[in-house]
Amino acid sequence: MSDDHSNEWYYNVKTGKVEPYEGDKASERLGPYSSPEKAARALEKVQERNEAWDNDPKWNDD
């Protein structure tokens, strides 16, 4: 495993900001993402995935 984290970006859910690998603790962040732009869309991606899972009959436990 490589120790190069130069292309890792995270979305900090506490601050609402994108940060590099050397940021806040892991429990406060989503990622890694391959670019700051992708990290900035982290909450949108979470919402998209939640909606997809909510509408997937394989995951419907009602």
Side-chain angles (χ1 to χ4, degrees):
M1 187 171 208
S2 174
D3 288 336
D4 180 15
H5 300 285
S6 61
N7 289 323
E8 292 183 15
W9 296 90
Y10 297 82
Y11 180 81
N12 187 315
V13 296
K14 189 175 180 180
T15 66
K17 296 182 180 179
V18 172
E19 53 192 37
Y21 175 78
E22 299 83 12
D24 209 348
K25 58 186 176 181
S27 65
E28 304 290 350
R29 307 191 303 173
L30 299 174
Y33 294 92
S34 60
S35 71
E37 294 79 18
K38 287 182 179 181
R41 290 195 64 240
L43 293 181
E44 291 174 46
K45 194 66 170 174
V46 167
Q47 183 63 33
E48 289 170 7
R49 288 178 179 158
N50 285 343
E51 288 174 9
W53 290 333
D54 286 344
N55 296 315
D56 186 337
K58 293 182 289 185
W59 293 99
N60 189 350
D61 59 357
D62 292 337

